[in-house]
Amino acid sequence: MPLHSSFPERLKGGTPLLTAWCGLPDPSVAGILAREDFDAVVLDTQHGSIDFAASVQAIPLIAAAGKPAIVRIPVGDFASASRYLDAGASGIIAPMINTVEDARRLAAFTKFPPVGERSWGAYGALALTGLEPGDYLRTANDLAVSFAMVETREALAIIDDILAVPGIDGVFIGPSDLSIALSGDKGVDPTSAEVDKALDHALARVKAAGKIAAIYAVSGARAAELSAKGFHMVSIGSDISMLRAGAHAALTAARA
Ligand code: 3PY
Ligand code: MG
């Protein structure tokens, strides 16, 4: 039985999944956070300092905690998406998908033929899933989730076209970049009323397409609001922000 065969199904199951968000360079951070009550762990190789080798080490640590690992790739680095899936990632988040061509390239690198053009070599994934090569080839396109990030005005304007690309399983909203774009590049406020309005629109379009809606939340409280709106997956904060918040709380208590 594939380790995380239930992940794409659980995403659509009605209960929002909450993920950790890791960018610190040591894979043990992701492995440790996977032991908390998160449903999955995201490795952020776009803005985090975690690199390819550390991410590939983190994936089995996350799997050992019984959780799916999802990797955010750097902008346009679609070739690494295939490599993370080969290593056993259960999902890919691709930032700045602003054209239908971007979405097609993401699908090409994350899905096997006939949907895409992913090349064979999923050795880590075979070890983690326990599947025979033929069974993995047959099921892989449905085992891992490909998220196109919508975080610009351009992407919002063509969200239906992005969602219509075969192999794109869902949309992941980047509310910070979106807030910069919607403010006319004047500021960053991922919880602004303008962003909320855009989120409601994007969420409705994703649901109409029958696909998965995911988003980044700057805090646990914001994650609760976004879950209540109906997002299927909400990523909370980051390892650095949690470390800082923990340090702040401990020092405030100690100096009280
Ligand atoms: C954004 O909010 O722009 C993101 O990419 C989430 O980290
Ligand atoms: Mg962003």
Side-chain angles (χ1 to χ4, degrees):
M1 190 60 189
L3 198 57
H4 299 301
S5 60
S6 58
F7 177 56
E9 280 159 38
R10 279 182 66 207
L11 278 167
K12 285 190 178 170
T15 308
L17 302 193
L18 299 175
T19 89
W21 187 272
C22 296
L24 285 168
D26 196 299
S28 66
V29 175
I32 288 167
L33 280 178
R35 301 278 163 174
E36 295 300 320
D37 198 20
F38 292 107
D39 297 299
V41 176
V42 176
L43 303 165
D44 179 17
T45 70
Q46 181 194 11
H47 291 300
S49 47
I50 192 164
D51 65 8
F52 178 79
S55 299
V56 164
Q57 288 169 46
I59 290 169
L61 293 179
I62 297 165
K67 307 285 172 69
I70 304 159
V71 183
R72 177 161 78 166
I73 57 172
V75 176
D77 187 7
F78 300 115
S80 75
S82 306
R83 299 181 73 196
Y84 288 121
L85 293 175
D86 288 347
S90 295
I92 297 293
I93 300 171
M96 293 286 170
I97 298 296
N98 293 331
T99 65
V100 169
E101 185 50 27
D102 291 340
R104 285 206 187 105
R105 281 177 58 73
L106 170 59
F109 279 91
T110 54
K111 301 294 179 185
F112 285 115
V115 179
E117 300 163 22
R118 184 177 162 198
S119 156
W120 180 257
Y123 304 112
L126 291 180
L128 291 184
T129 61
L131 287 171
E132 294 301 320
D135 290 334
Y136 181 77
L137 177 65
R138 199 168 37 75
T139 55
N141 285 356
D142 298 323
L143 288 181
V145 181
S146 298
F147 288 107
M149 282 198 79
V150 167
E151 48 185 349
T152 62
R153 282 181 189 272
E154 292 85 339
L156 257 192
I158 58 160
I159 190 167
D160 288 337
D161 302 324
I162 291 172
L163 285 161
V165 172
I168 298 299
D169 300 301
V171 151
F172 191 107
I173 308 280
S176 295
D177 277 310
L178 193 57
S179 73
I180 296 171
L182 295 179
S183 72
D185 305 331
K186 289 198 182 65
V188 54
D189 178 2
T191 60
S192 72
E194 235 173 356
V195 167
D196 262 351
K197 202 170 146 214
L199 296 187
D200 290 340
H201 168 71
L203 189 56
R205 298 320 304 153
V206 178
K207 296 224 162 156
K211 297 205 169 178
I212 300 162
I215 188 163
Y216 179 86
V218 285
S219 66
R222 180 63 172 162
E225 285 173 20
L226 295 168
S227 299
K229 268 188 192 292
F231 281 92
H232 301 101
M233 184 178 99
V234 183
S235 295
I236 308 177
S238 68
D239 46 9
I240 290 185
S241 65
M242 288 185 185
L243 201 57
R244 290 184 65 199
H248 181 81
L251 286 168
T252 303
R255 294 204 168 108

